[in-house]
Amino acid sequence: MHRLAGHTNQPTTDAARLALRAYKRARAEAGARGQREAPPVSIDTLRAMISACDLNTRIGIRDRLLLVLGLALMGRRSELVALTCDDILEVSDGLEVTIRTSKTDKDSRGETIAIPRGSHPLTDPVAVWSDWTAVLTEAGQTSGRLLRRIDRHGNLGPRLGADAVNVIVRDLAIRAAVPGAETFTAHSLRAGGATVAYAAGVPVSVIAKHGRWAPASPVVLRYIRAVDRWRDNAMRNVGL
């Protein structure tokens, strides 16, 4: 706010940054860890979590769509819950998903993300989306929010809240007995999409554009380093 008001470099922050650096060092020496990031969801983990969904229920069908879209879109939870039925279009190659606004889209120009068809029956984005739209059609809900609350009787309610996405992801990770399940959040899907894409050889620039990160985002680079520290490990094949 100081900068926007024309007070560039006011107040100076050098002293505060030094104090924070000393505090972080003291915490590290005392055994504390820095900010913990949500673990990324791998494809195997995604399928295990979907297997924990009861696909004979509306809740299970919705949750499967939430998981697949979250990873395939590298979606923020705010983007997922904001999707409407009209934001997704099936085309010959897969799905076109319109993200109307996002954290890095300051002017809300919107962007269309292409999601190819899948090859696995549990995680094919087109099949997963089709199953959920059939539920919406049966309930007479063919417009409005795509992801909705569902009560214990299977009745559809208003839009799903952003906090509920975290709860759903964590609960499914726990039910699937995923290691570290308690630390999973909605961001695990976003991180997982970037991680599996890079491991499959997708260029960083393509990942950043698909996930609506800034081109030089340090967040994307952290995901890449997580893959590289195993793929390009100095101790690999040394005979230990």
Side-chain angles (χ1 to χ4, degrees):
M1 293 305 297
H2 276 68
R3 185 168 60 253
L4 291 174
H7 306 299
T8 305
N9 297 324
Q10 297 180 39
T12 59
T13 59
D14 291 345
R17 292 180 185 278
L18 287 172
L20 286 171
R21 187 178 301 167
Y23 174 67
K24 290 177 181 177
R25 185 182 301 113
R27 288 186 75 248
E29 290 173 350
R33 298 183 62 179
Q35 181 180 1
R36 295 189 180 185
E37 295 182 354
V41 172
S42 67
I43 297 300
D44 288 341
T45 298
L46 178 70
R47 288 177 183 155
M49 292 168 68
I50 291 174
S51 295
C53 298
D54 184 352
L55 299 181
N56 294 314
T57 66
R58 288 179 170 181
I59 290 177
I61 296 172
R62 179 206 62 191
D63 290 352
R64 179 173 65 153
L65 176 65
L66 172 65
L67 293 175
V68 172
L69 276 185
L71 188 139
L73 279 175
M74 303 179 197
R76 299 177 177 90
R77 57 180 180 161
S78 59
E79 296 170 348
L80 294 173
V81 298
L83 288 172
T84 69
C85 294
D86 295 332
D87 288 335
I88 300 184
L89 175 68
E90 182 179 355
V91 295
S92 58
D93 291 328
L95 299 176
E96 291 184 347
V97 183
T98 299
I99 304 295
R100 299 185 182 276
T101 187
S102 66
K103 185 178 178 181
T104 53
D105 182 10
K106 304 299 184 184
D107 296 322
S108 299
R109 293 189 178 93
E111 186 171 359
T112 299
I113 307 300
I115 300 179
R117 294 178 183 273
S119 58
H120 193 286
L122 277 182
T123 53
D124 172 21
V126 176
V128 170
W129 171 76
S130 296
D131 287 347
W132 175 242
T133 54
V135 169
L136 293 177
T137 300
E138 180 185 30
Q141 303 288 345
T142 56
S143 62
R145 298 293 182 178
L146 179 69
L147 296 170
R148 297 168 177 267
R149 279 192 232 160
I150 304 175
D151 66 21
R152 60 180 180 174
H153 303 295
N155 299 312
L156 299 183
R159 62 178 287 180
L160 196 67
D163 289 340
V165 179
N166 275 340
V167 174
I168 291 169
V169 171
R170 184 178 299 112
D171 285 352
L172 288 172
I174 292 171
R175 284 161 54 186
V178 175
E182 292 288 349
T183 62
F184 275 61
T185 69
H187 194 76
S188 296
L189 298 172
R190 181 165 165 78
T195 302
V196 299
Y198 183 70
V202 178
V204 177
S205 59
V206 175
I207 294 172
K209 180 173 176 56
H210 186 94
R212 300 159 305 286
W213 280 286
S217 169
V219 178
V220 178
L221 296 178
R222 283 204 301 270
Y223 301 146
I224 290 168
R225 285 195 293 267
V227 175
D228 282 346
R229 67 171 172 250
W230 289 106
R231 187 168 66 186
D232 302 326
N233 192 283
M235 292 292 101
R236 185 178 295 279
N237 301 323
V238 300
L240 287 176

